[in-house]
Amino acid sequence: MAPSAAASEDRKALVRRMLIDVLMGREDPEGFFAMCVSALGPQETRSQFLALIQPLSTANSSLHSGLTSIYEQYFSKTEDDELQLALALSLLEVKNDQLSTPSQDSPLQPPRDRPNQRSPAQKSTVSQPQGNSNTKPADGVAQPPVLLWFRRDLRLGDNPALIGSLEVGSPVIPVFIWSPEEEEGPGITVAMGGACTYWLHQALSCFSSSLERIGSHLVFLKANGSSLCTLKELVRETGARTVLANALYEPWLKERDDDVESALQKDGVECKMYHSYCLRDPYSVSTEGVGLRGIGSVSHFMNCCRQNPGSALGAPLDPPVSLPTPAYWPQGVSLNVLGLGRMPRRKDGTTIDWAANIRKSWDFSEGGACARLEAFLNDGVYRYEKESGRADAPNTSCLSPYLHFGQLSPRWLLWDAKGACCRPPKFQRKLAWRDLAYWQLTLFPDLPWESLRPPYKALRWSSDRDHLKAWQRGRTGYPLVDAAMRQLWLTGWMNNYMRHVVASFLIAYLYLPWQEGYRWFQDTLVDADVAIDAMMWQNGGMCGLDHWNFVMHPVDAAMTCDPYGSYVRKWCSELAELPDELVHKPWKCPAPMLRRAGLVFGQTYPERIVTDLEERRSRSLQDVALVRKEFGQYVDKRSGCDFVPLPQRLVSEALGLSHRDGGVVTEGQQFLLPVITRMEFKHQLEDPDADAVSNPYNAVLKGYVSRKRDETIAFLNERDFTASVMYEGVQRKERLESDYRRIEGLPGPPAPRGRARRTPTAKDRFSVVPGGAVSSLR
């Protein structure tokens, strides 16, 4: 191509990019025309402008008419004006050698019809609004549209695929294809449970309304065999040559998208996936330069991202004000046909509206997501760093369902959080935890159903279905656990602290397998996320990459998250009349108090399904020690850490075979990696629940685990949560120092004067220092 021709093509490409700003409302039509004249010159503008804006005749007829009117008004000048323009143009041509040769069309005459321009009759026909027409245009009349494939990116703001469709400069057809079999994938993932599916139904309805407000609408389709078959049918029906979407990172969905992209490109259809769902593409995260030590922790993950940075995040993208519409819309189905929000019916034909409270509790729109974010940044963010665990106060953002369905992008959330007056690192760190979960899922595709630590598959789990049902329905007899599970059932959500409480109760006290908790969460959470839930439940079940070094006591945890009992009273109304100091342990109430409160155990409120909490927790630790001893080949004798088989991708990086080198490790080889293991297991392989003499780490963990702080102090400080946390921190620091002195054989610190000391009781074995403990260590 000649240099002048190449320069001309570059100028035309610049005009097409400027046209996108007009479509998105960032530039007015008059300013766009002025920039065209400046970029192309009057002569080329006169000959090429109508051809450049021709796609708008079907995509946005009103904008096309306005630009045509500006063009005609500009070039319909008097003869003197035209003569002056010609003289000025000739002077510019003499001075500028880079200007192309003047067109054969005289600047004093209207441009001739070109092959790619329609006649005036054709223009008048296609300039009429065609957005709701279902009549196919004649071949060669309309430009091939773009299929914009929405999945979990139901928003207009900061949507890379949506902006990418505008850059094509063709009409856009937004589509949503529902394929539950593809969503589920292999194994037992429960990717779309009841609450999650209901949210999706409501979110799609809101998003369709948002598209209608910018002159478009969402086409709903039920997959005909597979998403690929449905897309191929759409391509044949609409004549589209481009398919755009935002990428998903679940391994089975990534494999599906790769197959779609490959098959469409073989058919000559361009298919492109944009990165948007996470801050960092999990398939691009590498451990090169960091190593594998500490894998599973968020600190290790963030080090990997810092050591191997990807492309810059950039600023969030503004939502478009309009969307080019095609002359022909494909035939879709109604949203109800997808069956996402279908409610069960009784035998008499009445509907069971189980989602009524969920509907009252949430605004499912993109605007609702922005409102929640703004409300949090104006209020709750100031208490998040220290009090995000409070169940009785709105100190959390409640943005997780909006992130899951893409009604709010993580980049937008991070951008606004960094721009807020208060920027708590803890809140921003949550997005790193989210990316870490997806990274783990890409490394271990069986994360939702298979324990990562091989010995832990042999744990003796309980099969008591009555205990499981009581936990699911919030009828365990422990008010904090019951309140959280009832909140989950009614609203589809609970905060992260309460998720830890109920998970610890299910695993450590009821001996029920973590898979049961995972499946229930996936079915009842409106933010049910396979990667995040699987990682959390694996860690809680002590078989993930990171051991939880705590167990939430169902009573003591309430002193931290619900000191007044208002959370329990809200969701367990039968306990509303109990005093603050007994609302979390109603079994300690005297009989007259129970009668006054109208509380009858086994009738108005359930009996405790288990009572020997400490013994049951101790047995769960013994079970872990037993399987570690039985499968000694998966325990590092030097450090005491558990071994986990490495996936091929991490092995390749560890051996120096990077992705770009194409290094592959033989599948038959198994590489074991020591991973994070709780201290009491590492120090004492035989009896992790032993006393402080044989296992000094145990006392520290028990103090943190069961929160054995003085109840009197706790209730005196309940009005000042910060003071309570500070008191607990001082106690833990003293325990750490005391244990260190015992290990090193140092004398104990002198007892402070004037300090109230706790009186050991026979029932509290953790407060009694075994006789001869200090002397035996010397």
Side-chain angles (χ1 to χ4, degrees):
M1 184 181 292
S4 59
S8 177
E9 290 300 322
D10 291 341
R11 291 195 292 269
K12 292 178 183 177
L14 175 62
V15 171
R16 293 190 186 97
R17 289 195 295 270
M18 291 189 297
L19 186 58
I20 296 174
D21 292 337
V22 182
L23 287 170
M24 297 185 65
R26 293 197 289 259
E27 184 61 67
D28 58 274
E30 291 82 1
F32 166 69
F33 183 79
M35 287 188 292
C36 287
V37 175
S38 175
L40 300 176
Q43 184 180 16
E44 203 169 342
T45 300
R46 184 163 196 167
S47 61
Q48 298 294 332
F49 183 78
L50 294 179
L52 290 173
I53 68 170
Q54 186 58 43
L56 293 177
S57 62
T58 55
N60 194 323
S61 57
S62 59
L63 180 58
H64 180 267
S65 301
L67 289 173
T68 303
S69 176
I70 295 171
Y71 168 85
E72 293 173 349
Q73 183 179 1
Y74 182 82
F75 286 107
S76 62
K77 299 182 178 180
T78 63
E79 194 171 291
D80 293 338
D81 293 336
E82 295 290 352
L83 182 58
Q84 291 178 5
L85 177 62
L87 291 174
L89 182 60
S90 63
L91 290 175
L92 288 174
E93 290 174 351
V94 172
K95 292 180 181 179
N96 192 352
D97 295 335
Q98 296 181 353
L99 284 178
S100 60
T101 304
S103 172
Q104 295 179 356
D105 295 329
S106 171
L108 301 179
Q109 297 176 353
R112 300 169 184 171
D113 290 337
R114 299 184 182 272
N116 62 343
Q117 290 180 324
R118 299 186 182 93
S119 64
Q122 288 176 316
K123 290 182 184 178
S124 63
T125 301
V126 298
S127 63
Q128 300 299 324
Q130 298 287 332
N132 297 324
S133 172
N134 281 327
T135 304
K136 263 192 177 182
D139 291 340
V141 175
Q143 189 170 355
V146 176
L147 293 180
L148 183 55
W149 185 15
F150 285 98
R151 289 93 71 82
R152 291 206 301 271
D153 50 348
L154 307 179
R155 64 182 183 274
L156 297 178
D158 195 30
N159 193 323
L162 177 59
I163 302 304
S165 68
L166 290 174
E167 292 176 351
V168 176
S170 299
V172 178
I173 301 178
V175 298
F176 176 83
I177 303 172
W178 176 238
S179 179
E181 295 80 10
E182 293 177 353
E183 291 288 336
E184 181 61 24
I188 307 173
T189 60
V190 198
M192 280 291 178
C196 203
T197 305
Y198 182 79
W199 183 289
L200 178 59
H201 175 89
Q202 300 293 334
L204 285 170
S205 177
C206 295
F207 183 60
S208 182
S209 301
S210 298
L211 286 174
E212 290 173 1
R213 284 194 289 271
I214 61 172
S216 185
H217 74 266
L218 188 59
V219 178
F220 300 106
L221 295 167
K222 205 164 188 177
N224 183 15
S226 67
S227 297
L228 175 58
C229 294
T230 306
L231 285 170
K232 284 186 173 181
E233 291 178 2
L234 277 173
V235 167
R236 286 193 297 268
E237 183 181 0
T238 62
R241 310 311 301 164
T242 306
V243 176
L244 304 179
N246 289 311
L248 296 175
Y249 300 120
E250 288 84 350
W252 54 94
L253 294 180
K254 175 72 162 54
E255 184 179 355
R256 187 268 314 268
D257 289 350
D258 290 344
D259 292 341
V260 167
E261 189 171 359
S262 176
L264 291 178
Q265 288 179 350
K266 286 181 180 178
D267 293 342
V269 179
E270 181 185 2
C271 184
K272 184 175 181 180
M273 298 290 171
Y274 292 82
H275 166 65
S276 174
Y277 194 68
C278 296
L279 288 177
R280 180 71 182 267
D281 183 348
Y283 289 93
S284 70
V285 177
S286 173
T287 60
E288 294 181 27
V290 180
L292 298 174
R293 184 178 180 180
I295 189 172
S297 69
V298 71
S299 299
H300 175 271
F301 176 77
M302 294 174 72
N303 287 336
C304 290
C305 293
R306 280 192 290 263
Q307 186 71 22
N308 305 285
S311 58
L313 285 179
L317 304 171
D318 293 329
V321 295
S322 64
L323 203 60
T325 55
Y328 167 77
W329 284 96
Q331 186 67 38
V333 299
S334 69
L335 178 58
N336 292 330
V337 173
L338 302 183
L340 299 171
R342 184 180 296 119
M343 295 293 168
R345 291 184 176 274
R346 300 184 180 90
K347 293 182 179 180
D348 59 1
T350 57
T351 301
I352 304 175
D353 189 6
W354 56 265
N357 285 288
I358 295 179
R359 199 162 49 248
K360 295 175 183 176
S361 304
W362 299 93
D363 181 348
F364 304 93
S365 66
E366 181 181 358
C370 296
R372 286 259 185 179
L373 175 58
E374 183 178 1
F376 172 70
L377 295 179
N378 289 334
D379 183 27
V381 70
Y382 297 100
R383 300 183 300 274
Y384 188 88
E385 196 72 20
K386 292 184 178 180
E387 301 186 28
S388 61
R390 289 291 287 263
D392 59 348
N395 298 334
T396 54
S397 65
C398 301
L399 293 171
S400 50
Y402 300 106
L403 278 173
H404 176 67
F405 288 100
Q407 294 159 290
L408 183 68
S409 74
R411 179 169 63 176
W412 198 308
L413 175 58
L414 181 64
W415 186 272
D416 280 7
K418 287 185 174 181
C421 296
C422 178
R423 296 177 287 180
K426 183 178 178 180
F427 179 68
Q428 298 179 32
R429 198 177 177 91
K430 292 295 183 182
L431 292 174
W433 276 107
R434 182 173 182 265
D435 284 11
L436 169 63
Y438 274 92
W439 185 52
Q440 288 192 18
L441 185 61
T442 63
L443 295 173
F444 303 94
D446 55 357
L447 189 71
W449 63 86
E450 192 74 29
S451 297
L452 297 187
R453 305 191 188 208
Y456 293 68
K457 300 175 186 178
L459 283 173
R460 296 179 299 170
W461 294 112
S462 170
S463 58
D464 193 327
R465 306 305 294 181
D466 291 335
H467 281 183
L468 177 61
K469 188 174 181 180
W471 178 82
Q472 291 173 342
R473 301 298 180 183
R475 299 193 62 79
T476 66
Y478 289 90
L480 187 65
V481 176
D482 292 345
M485 296 306 292
R486 294 182 191 185
Q487 181 191 18
L488 172 64
W489 179 255
L490 291 174
T491 68
W493 190 84
M494 67 173 79
N495 73 21
N496 190 59
Y497 189 92
M498 298 311 302
R499 298 185 195 200
H500 284 72
V501 169
V502 300
S504 292
F505 189 81
L506 181 79
I507 295 168
Y509 297 108
L510 298 183
Y511 305 150
L512 289 168
W514 62 267
Q515 290 93 337
E516 294 288 357
Y518 164 80
R519 284 194 285 266
W520 185 252
F521 267 30
Q522 284 296 115
D523 191 41
T524 54
L525 280 171
V526 292
D527 63 351
D529 193 294
V530 170
I532 298 173
D533 281 349
M535 182 185 73
M536 187 203 83
W537 281 101
Q538 285 253 22
N539 291 341
M542 293 178 288
C543 54
L545 291 182
D546 187 5
H547 264 175
W548 278 4
N549 64 342
F550 56 86
V551 175
M552 297 290 198
H553 192 280
V555 178
D556 293 338
M559 299 178 185
T560 295
C561 66
D562 188 30
Y564 294 103
S566 56
Y567 177 75
V568 164
R569 291 188 180 92
K570 178 178 181 180
W571 300 107
C572 300
S573 57
E574 59 269 40
L575 304 176
E577 299 301 322
L578 296 183
D580 292 354
E581 61 271 16
L582 294 174
V583 69
H584 293 295
K585 40 191 175 183
W587 54 89
K588 290 191 176 182
C589 290
M593 183 181 293
L594 292 176
R595 285 196 297 271
R596 287 194 299 270
L599 192 62
V600 180
F601 291 112
Q603 297 181 20
T604 59
Y605 188 71
E607 295 273 7
R608 289 178 291 169
I609 57 176
V610 292
T611 57
D612 52 341
L613 294 181
E614 291 302 333
E615 291 182 12
R616 294 183 73 89
R617 190 189 65 80
S618 178
R619 179 189 149 186
S620 70
L621 297 178
Q622 296 291 343
D623 287 345
V624 173
L626 182 63
V627 297
R628 280 167 53 85
K629 183 178 180 181
E630 182 179 353
F631 297 89
Q633 69 271 28
Y634 288 103
V635 177
D636 185 6
K637 300 300 186 295
R638 183 178 59 85
S639 66
C641 293
D642 292 332
F643 279 131
V644 167
L646 278 183
Q648 295 180 20
R649 176 174 153 196
L650 288 181
V651 175
S652 299
E653 293 177 2
L655 296 178
L657 305 175
S658 63
H659 303 304
R660 53 183 175 273
D661 297 331
V664 180
V665 177
T666 306
E667 292 188 12
Q669 295 176 306
Q670 187 181 60
F671 294 82
L672 300 178
L673 173 73
V675 293
I676 301 169
T677 305
R678 281 169 60 166
M679 289 298 293
E680 68 264 45
F681 295 135
K682 292 167 60 177
H683 184 81
Q684 177 58 268
L685 300 179
E686 299 291 335
D687 186 9
D689 199 38
D691 57 27
V693 178
S694 58
N695 192 353
Y697 294 103
N698 194 45
V700 176
L701 286 172
K702 273 191 174 132
Y704 179 73
V705 166
S706 56
R707 298 183 180 271
K708 289 290 182 181
R709 53 180 158 180
D710 194 306
E711 292 183 6
T712 304
I713 298 295
F715 280 107
L716 287 176
N717 289 333
E718 66 182 7
R719 295 184 181 180
D720 187 350
F721 179 75
T722 303
S724 179
V725 172
M726 291 173 61
Y727 175 74
E728 181 184 348
V730 170
Q731 284 190 325
R732 187 164 186 263
K733 184 177 180 181
E734 290 177 353
R735 287 195 297 268
L736 286 169
E737 182 180 357
S738 176
D739 289 331
Y740 171 76
R741 287 176 173 272
R742 285 201 296 269
I743 294 172
E744 299 295 330
L746 301 175
R753 297 181 179 180
R755 178 182 174 185
R757 297 183 59 83
R758 187 174 181 181
T759 303
T761 62
K763 295 181 180 179
D764 189 5
R765 59 191 179 96
F766 306 116
S767 298
V768 180
V769 178
V774 177
S775 60
S776 63
L777 287 173
R778 288 178 178 174

